[in-house]
Amino acid sequence: DAGVIQSPRHEVTEMGQEVTLRCKPISGHNSLFWYRQTMMRGLELLIYFNNNVPIDDSGMPEDRFSAKMPNASFSTLKIQPSEPRDSAVYFCASSLEGVPTDTQYFGPGTRLTVL
Amino acid sequence: AQSVTQLDSHVSVSEGTPVLLRCNYSSSYSPSLFWYVQHPNKGLQLLLKYTSAATLVKGINGFEAEFKKSETSFHLTKPSAHMSDAAEYFCVVQISGGYNKLIFGAGTRLAVHP
């Protein structure tokens, strides 16, 4: 299996621009997670999908952030408009829920820099 | 509420010496616990997980962790450090009673010197 795939790996943009991060989970997994990692706050869960439905978005920082999962093999995280404080590494992870103590498999991350 | 505390933000060892990365957890239930490793500019990789079976859990790359309920600890150890072990290590607890939500510790950065 190719693992969780994220694109782009690096993104540099200017404040105010729209940013879209993409994730392809492991085939057959039914749960998908978006995380943000910063030096100040560590790893934070942003949103969780199960069977393509958002279940917990309590970690989404504000209305500028939105996430979608139109099908089982694709998800996006959008920031509009972007701000310098959004600079972070964004990880996508997937798992097969229902398996006892499901393991989350992480993608390589997208390093976002907002100037 | 469940939480984890990693007691050291940085640990430095010499190659060939033992590694000890400390983690204490807080949980009202018997928790599921994990250790993940993150190499520079890479994603997170699962090292091992505890699921209330054996208290001594063996993982990849020679790492193991022991679940000690009386001490609420889940320390990660390795008998002999290798240069390639230099990375950041995260102790993680799974939220019980809900979906597979993970709470990450702040991380311990392991440096290995020749």
Side-chain angles (χ1 to χ4, degrees):
Chain A
D1 198 308
V4 176
I5 298 172
Q6 291 186 248
S7 65
R9 294 293 309 276
H10 302 272
E11 176 81 32
V12 180
T13 190
E14 292 187 346
M15 182 174 64
Q17 296 299 305
E18 176 182 302
V19 175
T20 300
L21 312 182
R22 297 173 176 80
C23 175
K24 176 178 169 57
I26 292 173
S27 177
H29 282 187
N30 58 3
S31 295
L32 185 140
F33 307 79
W34 281 101
Y35 291 88
R36 179 172 65 177
Q37 185 179 38
T38 61
M39 290 292 292
M40 293 295 295
R41 300 173 67 91
L43 267 158
E44 305 172 276
L45 176 66
L46 299 177
I47 188 168
Y48 157 66
F49 290 88
N50 182 252
N51 293 322
N52 312 335
V53 177
I55 303 299
D56 181 357
D57 65 355
S58 58
M60 295 287 264
E62 48 197 274
D63 292 346
R64 297 184 297 106
F65 285 69
S66 62
K68 293 182 180 180
M69 192 164 186
N71 57 62
S73 59
F74 184 65
S75 177
T76 59
L77 178 67
K78 184 181 293 186
I79 308 172
Q80 180 184 22
S82 58
E83 297 182 2
R85 60 191 169 120
D86 301 331
S87 298
V89 181
Y90 291 82
F91 289 103
C92 176
S94 71
S95 70
L96 180 59
E97 189 139 340
V99 175
T101 318
D102 2 355
T103 297
Q104 290 187 25
Y105 295 87
F106 283 76
T110 295
R111 183 175 296 275
L112 173 65
T113 302
V114 183
L115 304 175
Chain B
Q2 287 101 331
S3 66
V4 289
T5 302
Q6 293 185 243
L7 301 174
D8 308 291
S9 59
H10 291 83
V11 170
S12 181
V13 300
S14 297
E15 190 175 20
T17 64
V19 175
L20 170 63
L21 306 183
R22 299 183 293 165
C23 173
N24 285 353
Y25 70 90
S26 173
S27 177
S28 303
Y29 305 91
S30 182
S32 293
L33 294 160
F34 306 76
W35 277 97
Y36 277 84
V37 61
Q38 184 180 24
H39 287 92
N41 300 314
K42 301 287 187 183
L44 284 83
Q45 180 184 20
L46 180 69
L47 270 181
L48 51 81
K49 61 183 179 183
Y50 167 73
T51 60
S52 74
T55 56
L56 183 62
V57 183
K58 294 188 182 300
I60 61 172
N61 301 334
F63 284 94
E64 62 182 36
E66 186 171 8
F67 175 75
K68 291 187 177 180
K69 186 175 181 178
S70 60
E71 299 177 8
T72 62
S73 69
F74 189 58
H75 301 334
L76 182 70
T77 60
K78 182 174 181 177
S80 177
H82 192 274
M83 296 296 289
S84 61
D85 294 328
E88 186 140 21
Y89 292 79
F90 294 93
C91 182
V92 184
V93 65
Q94 182 182 39
I95 297 289
S96 61
Y99 67 87
N100 182 18
K101 183 171 185 175
L102 302 181
I103 304 297
F104 285 79
T108 298
R109 186 166 296 277
L110 175 66
V112 182
H113 302 287

